[in-house]
Amino acid sequence: NKVYYDGEVMQGANVLDFEVIWASSVGIPGTEQVYAQDLENVYYKGKVLIPKADPKSFKQLGALSTNWRTVGNYSLDKNHIYYENKEVEGVDKLSFSSEYEDGYASDKSHVFLKGKIVPNVYPEKFNFPVHEP
């Protein structure tokens, strides 16, 4: 009758069309990443991701690397890129890449760390920690 995350009822989640779309845990408490959706909303760790997230086009980016570091806190839909549950500001969606470790990402003009632009650092000169599958 209800959808739960970590023992709490997920307010507004529709049990009839709810599904987990990406979940991972690296074995360290607090590092779990869980994305889910129903027809109306996208959820991150049991909360609505962003009210304007589009469930039909939403997808998780990245994967887990072999050394237990997490790659994949970034996601996107047809209009936006997100880090965890926040929209990434100032990103060029067409050139965006999140295939790095430790929350790094880039587009043609910026380096991002955990969804925020790193000032005065440029992708063509930055040595990213690279995810090795």
Side-chain angles (χ1 to χ4, degrees):
N1 294 327
K2 298 183 192 258
V3 178
Y4 295 85
Y5 177 81
D6 200 22
E8 301 288 325
V9 173
M10 289 179 58
Q11 299 300 322
N14 185 338
V15 70
L16 298 177
D17 57 25
F18 183 87
E19 66 177 320
V20 174
I21 53 176
W22 200 80
S24 73
S25 176
V26 295
I28 303 166
T31 63
E32 302 82 9
Q33 301 167 36
V34 180
Y35 288 89
Q37 69 185 46
D38 58 25
L39 291 177
E40 300 295 321
N41 296 299
V42 177
Y43 304 90
Y44 175 75
K45 290 189 177 183
K47 307 284 189 237
V48 174
L49 177 61
I50 289 184
K52 58 187 171 183
D54 177 55
K56 290 184 176 114
S57 63
F58 184 85
K59 74 177 197 174
Q60 173 66 24
L61 299 173
L64 290 179
S65 66
T66 55
N67 66 356
W68 294 102
R69 289 190 180 185
T70 304
V71 176
N73 287 3
Y74 289 94
S75 57
L76 62 82
D77 66 14
K78 66 182 182 178
N79 299 311
H80 306 284
I81 292 179
Y82 307 99
Y83 180 79
E84 293 180 348
N85 63 341
K86 294 183 174 43
E87 183 180 342
V88 177
E89 303 279 333
V91 65
D92 177 68
K93 212 177 142 192
L94 295 177
S95 64
F96 183 77
S97 174
S98 65
E99 297 301 314
Y100 313 109
E101 292 185 357
D102 299 328
Y104 284 100
S106 67
D107 67 11
K108 66 183 180 182
S109 304
H110 302 99
V111 171
F112 298 87
L113 178 59
K114 298 183 178 177
K116 304 279 186 196
I117 293 174
V118 180
N120 303 314
V121 176
Y122 304 97
E124 66 275 2
K125 295 182 179 184
F126 187 72
N127 191 8
F128 289 94
V130 178
H131 167 68
E132 296 178 21

